[in-house]
Amino acid sequence: MTEPTSGRELWIMGLGNRPERCGSLCQYLTEGGYRARAASLKDLAGGKPLGILLDLSPFSADGWGILLDIKKNAATRDIPVLPLHLSEEGKVGGVFPAAGFITLPVDPDYLAEKLTVLGLTEDAEDYDLQVLIISRKGEEAVARAVESLGFEVVNAYTGKEGMALATTGRNYLIFCSLMLSDMAAFELLERFRLYPQTRNIPFFVMMKDTMKDGERTAMSRQIEHLVRKKELSRDEFLSYLRRRV
């Protein structure tokens, strides 16, 4: 998603039976030189998009379920997904540019491959690089996987502890559980974006491979709580898109 393309499309998902909600978003994308359309999970059987823009707001049609389905499936998990908040009328209220989503239990080989493809392992053996893992119980399998690549692991067990370690340390990558005891990963991501020393650290969200209905509702409301503007301008939105991949 770094440059406009005349090739594959961007797909907008989470709209359910209200594809008209992507009107403003499609206009932004068209003006930015992108091809885009509303799509559903079943469309993935016939081809893959350049990337997916996924509505996770309370007005979404099972956005969290769509995200899990995409990331649990080996055939689709490498498609870039950019989470966002669309209002009931379809206005773009917020964008949440995580570096990626990892489902748990982690597949160590896949994680190693993903980080390698992204170019994030090249310096691990030459420098003392730290990976911060933020999780309520710790994620031993994730820690072992990144340690096998030459990284040193630092653990944090709350969002506040993770924030303190990230702003005072020199973390190279961050892995964070979707839900922590004191905040959710997207709130922590928003806080990291406020500090120059943390805003560009690749931030990966770790998710259980299932979510209860109550958890999905709570996360959608949390996304809405983070929206600071009623609508992002075209240039504001496109700036996120161009940095995403």
Side-chain angles (χ1 to χ4, degrees):
M1 295 185 198
T2 53
E3 295 294 340
T5 177
S6 59
R8 287 184 296 164
E9 299 173 310
L10 296 174
W11 290 1
I12 304 168
M13 292 189 174
L15 304 174
N17 60 1
R18 296 186 60 195
E20 70 276 5
R21 288 183 59 236
C22 74
S24 294
L25 183 55
C26 285
Q27 182 178 350
Y28 284 176
L29 292 167
T30 299
E31 292 174 356
Y34 296 91
R35 296 172 56 208
R37 67 177 178 90
S40 64
L41 276 174
K42 65 181 181 181
D43 293 319
L44 290 171
K48 293 182 180 179
L50 176 67
I52 293 171
L53 309 180
L54 181 60
D55 179 23
L56 294 179
S57 75
F59 311 105
S60 169
D62 194 27
W64 289 103
I66 292 171
L67 180 59
L68 284 174
D69 283 342
I70 291 170
K71 294 305 176 181
K72 287 192 299 183
N73 188 336
T76 58
R77 63 188 178 185
D78 285 322
I79 300 173
V81 175
L82 181 62
L84 48 82
H85 177 284
L86 291 181
S87 71
E88 191 170 11
E89 298 79 23
K91 295 179 179 179
V92 184
V95 180
F96 306 96
F101 296 87
I102 305 295
T103 54
L104 303 174
V106 69
D107 178 343
D109 292 336
Y110 170 67
L111 180 58
E113 179 184 359
K114 183 175 183 64
L115 295 180
T116 300
V117 168
L118 292 174
L120 297 174
T121 62
E122 296 175 356
D123 297 326
E125 294 185 0
D126 297 326
Y127 301 96
D128 295 327
L129 300 178
Q130 291 185 344
V131 172
L132 177 61
I133 298 179
I134 310 171
S135 174
R136 287 181 288 183
K137 298 181 180 180
E139 293 295 342
E140 293 185 6
V142 176
R144 289 195 299 269
V146 296
E147 284 174 340
S148 71
L149 298 172
F151 295 105
E152 177 188 353
V153 169
V154 177
N155 285 291
Y157 300 96
T158 67
K160 290 182 179 179
E161 184 181 7
M163 194 74 209
L165 289 173
T167 52
T168 58
R170 294 184 177 273
N171 302 120
Y172 186 70
L173 302 172
I174 296 173
F175 289 85
C176 182
S177 295
L178 179 62
M179 291 177 280
L180 301 165
S181 60
D182 55 345
M183 66 183 74
F186 286 98
E187 180 178 351
L188 190 55
L189 175 61
E190 287 290 284
R191 294 189 183 192
F192 283 154
R193 284 161 59 179
L194 298 175
Y195 294 86
Q197 67 268 44
T198 57
R199 66 165 59 114
N200 293 319
I201 300 175
F203 186 100
F204 294 88
V205 178
M206 302 181 293
M207 307 183 298
K208 298 182 297 182
D209 60 5
T210 58
M211 287 180 71
K212 298 178 181 178
D213 289 342
E215 292 174 328
R216 299 183 191 195
T217 299
M219 286 302 304
S220 292
R221 289 175 178 169
Q222 200 259 354
I223 289 284
E224 187 171 43
H225 174 70
L226 294 173
V227 172
R228 294 187 175 90
K229 298 180 66 174
K230 291 184 178 180
E231 184 174 20
L232 296 181
S233 70
R234 179 196 64 189
D235 290 342
E236 286 173 326
F237 169 73
L238 290 176
S239 72
Y240 287 113
L241 187 66
R242 289 170 178 144
R243 291 196 301 264
R244 174 61 185 84
V245 175

